[in-house]
Structure formats: C-alpha cells, structure tokens
Amino acid sequence: MPLSSYAQVQTNPLRLPLTPPNFWDGLDKEADDDIISLATHVIATERDALANLHNLYQSDPAAQRSFKQALHVMGKTSRQGGRIIVSGMGKSGKIGQKFVATLNSFGIRSAFLHPTEAMHGDLAPIPSTEVDAFGVPTPTSSTTTALALTDALALALARRLHPNPTEIFHHYHPGGTIGASAAPTAPQLIGSIATNVDDVPIILDGQGPKSPTVLDALLTAARSASGWVRASSDTIIAPRQIQRIGRKVDLKEPLSSIGHAIVVEKLDWISIPAANSIQEAQEWILSMRQTSRGRTFLKPGTILGIVDSQKCVSGVVEIEEIMTGDQLQ
C-alpha cells in the first residue's frame, strides 16, 4: 500500500469499522458442544487427580511419612537460618517458582534454582555439606496436584514455624485478597447496623387527633427510607411486621384493630449497648434463651433498643437481623 493511502486510512476514523467483527457468526453449534465436552472432561480429570492425591495422603503411611520428613527437613533448615532451594524445569519449574513465592510470603527464606543454570555456576553458593534433599510422592504429573501439594507443604510448614501464620502472611503480603483478609479487623458493633429512631417517620405526625388507619401505616412505611414506622413517639412497627399485614385486612380499619400484633411499645424494647459487638449481642441472646424467661421476651418480632453513650435509646434493630430462624426456635 502506498504511504499516502496508508496515512489516509489511519487519519480517517470514519472509514474504520465502528464495532469489532462478530467472530461467533457461522460457528458450528455441534463443534461448540464438543469443545464444552472436552473442557468439562479436562476439569473432571483434574478433579479426580486431586481426589486421588487426597486419598493418597489420607490413607498411605508411606506418603504421610514422606510429607512429615519434608516438613522436618524444611523446618530444621529454616530454624537454623538456612534457605530452602527449589529446582525444576518446564511446568514443574513454574510450580516450583510459585512454591518459592508462597514460602517467602510466610517469611520462610527460599529461592528457585533452574537446573541448567545450576550447571553453569549458580550452584556454587550452595555448600554440598549443607544440602539435605527430600521428595514427596504425587500420583500423577498433573500440575494441579503438584500445585495443591506444594501449597499444603507451605501452609503446614508456616503453621509449624509460626503460631499465627496469617499475621506473618499479612506482614509479607499486605496486598491482594489474602493479605487483606489476614489483616486484623475490629469487630462490627451492633450500633453500626441500628436505625436511628429520630429518622423513623411517625404516622399522621402533626395531622391532629385523627386515628391512623392500616393504610396510613402502609403509606408511611413506603415513604420510610428504612421501612420502620412509628405509630407514636413511644411505639414502633418494624419492617418485618409491616410485611405481615395480610391482604385480607381492611385498609380503612383503624391501626389499633391489628396494632397489638405488630406495634411494639418502647417499654418492650430489649436494651443493648451500642458499643457491644454483634457477636457479643448474639452470645448474650443465646445465653438468655437458655432460660424460660429469656425465651419469652427474646423471640421472633423482638425489637432491640440500642442504647448510646448517653444512656438513651437512640436506635432500633430487629432481632432477626442478627439471629437466624433456627436460633430463635
């Protein structure tokens, strides 16, 4: 193509296709199905290889001894300030490099040595008197099983060398999902999930002495950001109770006709400090429900009144938000 033509095409974007070509047009559906069958067969083969590896180390004493011996050698080397040298070629070399990366993430000094480079001088820094080799059996040459086995070795060794390997991992590997999950986190407080009482709308607030109807309650709940509704300054209806209002109820009926079943007075709210963690609240509820009195007032439909630092009930939480149905049986 002449240079002028090339420049013209490049500088005129309108002559380029606006969307990429659809490579899926005209593909053979039967051929596609064969590809999916092949893919699932490969996945099933890898799954079976992992199952075989699991069975081997669960039931074969020789495999178990080899694994323990490997841990002993690596642990002894690491405690004495030595370095674990991993070697391999091809795909095994890639697995070895990943093994080294995992060990280093746990603060276990290790390095990868390519066999060919070892024959050209890289073996010199390793004194022959300090070499202690070991091997662990794998049932197949599958890289999946090799990866799983090296992960098992790394994690087992980290647990043997460190009382809390997750903290060590986070120190050496602060980034990524695993590092973030290993980072210490403060327990979530129950006050953090509470709905502020002052933000809950009151039915017919400022509309005189008119008695609210069921429809008024439903309309107020629809406008409520949290789904909570106050029937008065000292009574409240939780979102789950609003949902319990059946279709057969006459919406024009006064709310008081069904209020006893869904409206909860403030005196009946169960007080829990906002500074308590959710886990602490759960444990307290489970402990109280071991008594007959506790089962009476800590049941489905119970409202937890969240007490702030000023000793005021400033928030509300439905008991179902922190407890499962089975726990409240």
Side-chain angles (χ1 to χ4, degrees):
M1 176 185 294
L3 181 59
S4 58
S5 301
Y6 175 79
Q8 182 181 14
V9 171
Q10 291 297 101
T11 57
N12 187 357
L14 294 180
R15 299 184 61 179
L16 297 175
L18 297 181
T19 58
N22 185 357
F23 293 107
W24 296 100
D25 287 343
L27 286 184
D28 188 347
K29 183 179 183 305
E30 184 176 347
D32 290 349
D33 292 341
D34 290 342
I35 291 173
I36 296 300
S37 297
L38 174 61
T40 55
H41 172 73
V42 172
I43 294 171
T45 302
E46 300 287 351
R47 176 201 61 200
D48 293 342
L50 286 174
N52 189 21
L53 181 69
H54 175 268
N55 293 334
L56 176 69
Y57 280 91
Q58 190 174 49
S59 59
D60 189 330
Q64 294 171 358
R65 284 194 300 271
S66 297
F67 191 91
K68 293 176 182 177
Q69 177 63 17
L71 285 182
H72 173 75
V73 172
M74 291 192 296
K76 178 182 176 182
T77 300
S78 184
R79 289 191 185 97
Q80 293 178 348
R83 179 180 298 181
I84 298 171
I85 305 298
V86 180
S87 183
M89 293 186 65
K91 294 183 179 66
S92 296
K94 299 298 183 183
I95 297 297
Q97 292 176 31
K98 196 275 181 186
F99 183 37
V100 167
T102 303
L103 291 174
N104 286 326
S105 293
F106 283 110
I108 302 170
R109 296 178 67 238
S110 58
F112 180 78
L113 179 63
H114 194 282
T116 302
E117 294 173 348
M119 301 302 294
H120 292 273
D122 286 4
L123 193 61
I126 307 175
S128 59
T129 56
E130 298 182 10
V131 175
D132 196 350
F134 62 87
V136 288
T138 54
T140 71
S141 59
S142 167
T143 54
T144 302
T145 56
L147 182 62
L149 184 56
T150 53
D151 278 347
L153 278 170
L155 292 170
L157 180 60
R159 185 169 296 277
R160 173 168 290 188
L161 295 175
H162 307 298
N164 192 342
T166 56
E167 290 184 1
I168 300 296
F169 190 93
H170 177 62
H171 176 75
Y172 287 99
H173 193 284
T177 303
I178 299 178
S181 64
T185 57
Q188 186 178 13
L189 304 183
I190 192 166
S192 67
I193 65 170
T195 297
N196 194 320
V197 174
D198 291 339
D199 295 336
V200 177
I202 300 178
I203 303 172
L204 300 178
D205 188 19
Q207 296 188 26
K210 176 185 175 183
S211 177
T213 65
V214 176
L215 178 60
D216 291 326
L218 292 175
L219 291 175
T220 305
R223 292 191 293 267
S224 173
S226 62
W228 289 82
V229 172
R230 284 191 286 172
S232 67
S233 59
D234 293 322
T235 57
I236 203 164
I237 309 175
R240 285 178 174 79
Q241 300 305 320
I242 290 288
Q243 296 170 7
R244 288 181 55 192
I245 298 177
R247 295 182 179 179
K248 295 182 180 180
V249 175
D250 186 350
L251 299 183
K252 297 180 181 179
E253 287 288 320
L255 181 62
S256 57
S257 64
I258 63 168
H260 64 282
I262 64 172
V263 178
V264 182
E265 295 186 6
K266 191 173 184 178
L267 291 175
D268 294 327
W269 303 355
I270 305 302
S271 299
I272 293 183
N276 280 17
S277 69
I278 293 177
Q279 182 177 349
E280 288 173 331
Q282 293 169 329
E283 291 173 350
W284 178 80
I285 291 172
L286 290 174
S287 174
M288 291 297 297
R289 279 184 54 83
Q290 299 301 314
T291 66
S292 57
R293 179 172 174 270
R295 288 191 295 273
T296 300
F297 65 83
L298 291 168
K299 58 186 179 180
T302 295
I303 292 178
L304 307 177
I306 309 305
V307 182
D308 60 23
S309 58
Q310 305 299 318
K311 309 299 182 184
C312 297
V313 178
S314 58
V316 285
V317 172
E318 291 183 274
I319 195 171
E320 291 90 347
E321 291 185 62
I322 64 171
M323 307 297 291
T324 66
D326 292 340
Q327 292 172 326
L328 296 174
Q329 287 291 330

